[in-house]
């Protein structure tokens, strides 16, 4: 499938790389881009050969937010009827395959929210995160007020959404928003290597691990721990568990088949 606002590649077996590609607008998220991203995720989800995704932008910007020019004249009725960006946000949130956000440059507003909708963020030293919507008289609209405090705590989240200040990559790592910071020229390589590692694991175990870490944000501790134990036990029904443990005992690399 070809897209106007995305470039989709397969850099290595099992890995799909999706690049946001609206350089003229610093990858601002408009309806076309998010529609295409939803389609690209549908395709990746349906493709058994894809085991992990990497979502990235350019050196200058992951994404500088929702497209202000597209939104500026909309009425409340239009925003509400279109459930503005709700469907796309849900599509990303509900992807069963892991998505790594590889962020260089600006990840602002909807761009920061898009990165947080992914499973984890690998940042270049040049990355800058922010929720500057308050400067426009609005607020985050695809999860920023909810995911940012869960990632960095109330104090920093409040500071960011109320003052619109940006966090650099080092602060974002200290605060827990990103999992690693790497030099800009190594960032994509590092993200693709992480994706290749995930792609080599049992896709069944990967999907269940992802589901359970996400459940930690939705359930009580005792419910989450019980869910974990049930799924842990259930993994023993798969050949991949037998293969993984046999390979360890036999001192060889496992070959996971996804069954
Ligand atoms: C539309 C945008 C844009 C955006 C940048 N551009 N951000 N267009 N929507 N969010 C465009 C500019 O208009 C400009 O186009 C080109 O990209 C380059 O941007 P410059 O401003 O010239 O670059 P620079 O001076 O380097 O400044 C970079 C920047 C700044 C700091 C990132 O562009 C900026 O502040 N952008 C807006 C950030 C923001 O407020 N994001 C939140 C949006 S609201 P031209 O044609 O002039 O060259 C949001 C709500 C989410 O995200 C809710 C989801 C439903």
């Amino acid at each position: 499938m070809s897209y106007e606002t995305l470039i989709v590649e397969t850099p290595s077996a099992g890995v799909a790389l999706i690049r946001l590609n609206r350089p003229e607008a610093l990858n601002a998220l408009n309806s076309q881009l998010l529609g295409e991203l939803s389609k690209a995720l549908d395709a990746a989800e349906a493709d058994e050969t894809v085991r992990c995704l990497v979502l990235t932008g350019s050196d200058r910007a992951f994404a500088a937010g929702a497209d202000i020019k597209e939104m500026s004249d909309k009425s409340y009725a239009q925003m509400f009827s279109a459930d503005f960006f709700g469907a796309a946000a849900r599509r990303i949130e509900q992807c069963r395959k892991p998505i790594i956000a590889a962020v260089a440059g600006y990840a602002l507003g909807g761009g920061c929210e898009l990165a947080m909708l992914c499973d984890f963020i690998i940042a270049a030293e040049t990355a800058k995160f922010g929720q500057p919507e308050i400067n426009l008289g609005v607020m985050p609209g695809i999860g920023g007020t909810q995911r940012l405090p869960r990632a960095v705590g109330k104090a920093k989240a409040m500071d960011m959404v109320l003052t619109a200040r940006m966090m650099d990559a080092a602060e974002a790592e200290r605060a827990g928003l990103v999992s690693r910071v790497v030099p800009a020229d190594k960032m994509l390589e590092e993200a693709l290597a992480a994706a290749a590692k995930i792609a080599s694991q049992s896709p069944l175990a990967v999907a269940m691990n992802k589901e359970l870490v996400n459940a930690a944000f939705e359930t009580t501790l005792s419910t989450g721990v019980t869910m974990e134990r049930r799924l842990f036990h259930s993994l023993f029904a798969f050949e991949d568990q037998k293969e993984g443990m046999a390979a360890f005992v036999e001192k060889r690399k496992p070959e996971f088949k996804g069954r």
Side-chain angles (χ1 to χ4, degrees):
M1 216 178 299
S2 73
Y3 304 98
E4 276 177 39
T5 61
L6 305 176
I7 300 169
V8 181
E9 297 163 67
T10 307
S12 66
V15 177
L17 171 64
I18 303 177
R19 293 176 195 266
L20 307 178
N21 188 36
R22 291 191 71 214
E24 71 288 356
L26 300 183
N27 293 330
L29 310 171
N30 62 8
S31 304
Q32 183 187 11
L33 185 149
L34 287 175
E36 290 189 350
L37 182 57
S38 298
K39 286 204 178 85
L41 292 179
D42 287 344
E45 196 98 90
D47 182 345
E48 273 190 17
T49 67
V50 174
R51 299 281 179 87
C52 187
L53 293 93
V54 175
L55 182 63
T56 198
S58 66
D59 291 347
R60 201 167 155 214
F62 177 73
D67 191 316
I68 299 165
K69 293 165 193 167
E70 183 184 57
M71 283 184 297
S72 60
D73 291 331
K74 289 204 188 292
S75 65
Y76 174 42
Q78 286 171 317
M79 294 296 272
F80 178 76
S81 306
D83 188 21
F84 199 77
F85 291 170
R90 280 190 297 277
R91 182 66 198 85
I92 301 158
E93 191 174 60
Q94 286 166 9
C95 186
R96 295 185 76 202
K97 297 181 180 177
I99 312 177
I100 302 172
V103 175
Y106 297 111
L108 301 179
C112 186
E113 297 174 281
L114 176 60
M116 290 190 290
L117 277 161
C118 297
D119 294 299
F120 63 98
I121 303 173
I122 294 181
E125 284 166 351
T126 57
K128 286 192 188 314
F129 298 88
Q131 298 289 164
E133 289 92 337
I134 193 99
N135 287 339
L136 304 167
V138 292
M139 64 191 292
I142 49 170
T145 62
Q146 303 305 299
R147 290 198 176 85
L148 192 61
R150 282 167 169 80
V152 305
K154 178 182 169 182
K156 275 187 192 288
M158 224 26 131
D159 184 0
M160 287 172 75
V161 300
L162 296 183
T163 71
R165 89 168 168 89
M166 292 184 209
M167 225 186 228
D168 66 17
E171 183 180 2
E173 187 182 29
R174 283 198 303 277
L177 179 59
V178 312
S179 69
R180 333 176 183 178
V181 178
V182 286
D185 60 348
K186 294 277 180 315
M187 189 271 293
L188 194 55
E189 199 181 302
E190 181 103 355
L192 292 175
K197 177 74 184 162
I198 293 167
S200 74
Q201 313 286 18
S202 164
L204 305 163
V206 166
M208 287 196 191
N209 274 278
K210 167 171 168 153
E211 202 174 316
L212 263 288
V213 174
N214 281 329
F217 293 92
E218 308 279 354
T219 58
T220 62
L221 180 62
S222 59
T223 303
V225 167
T226 303
M227 281 169 69
E228 180 195 77
R229 199 157 48 242
R230 295 282 177 271
L231 287 190
F232 171 65
H233 293 163
S234 78
L235 285 166
F236 285 73
F238 296 134
E239 284 175 29
D240 281 350
Q241 170 269 326
K242 300 287 173 287
E243 168 62 11
M245 293 192 180
F248 175 81
V249 172
E250 292 159 20
K251 300 187 188 297
R252 60 173 174 83
K253 268 189 140 184
E255 263 190 54
F256 294 117
K257 300 218 169 69
R259 49 180 197 252

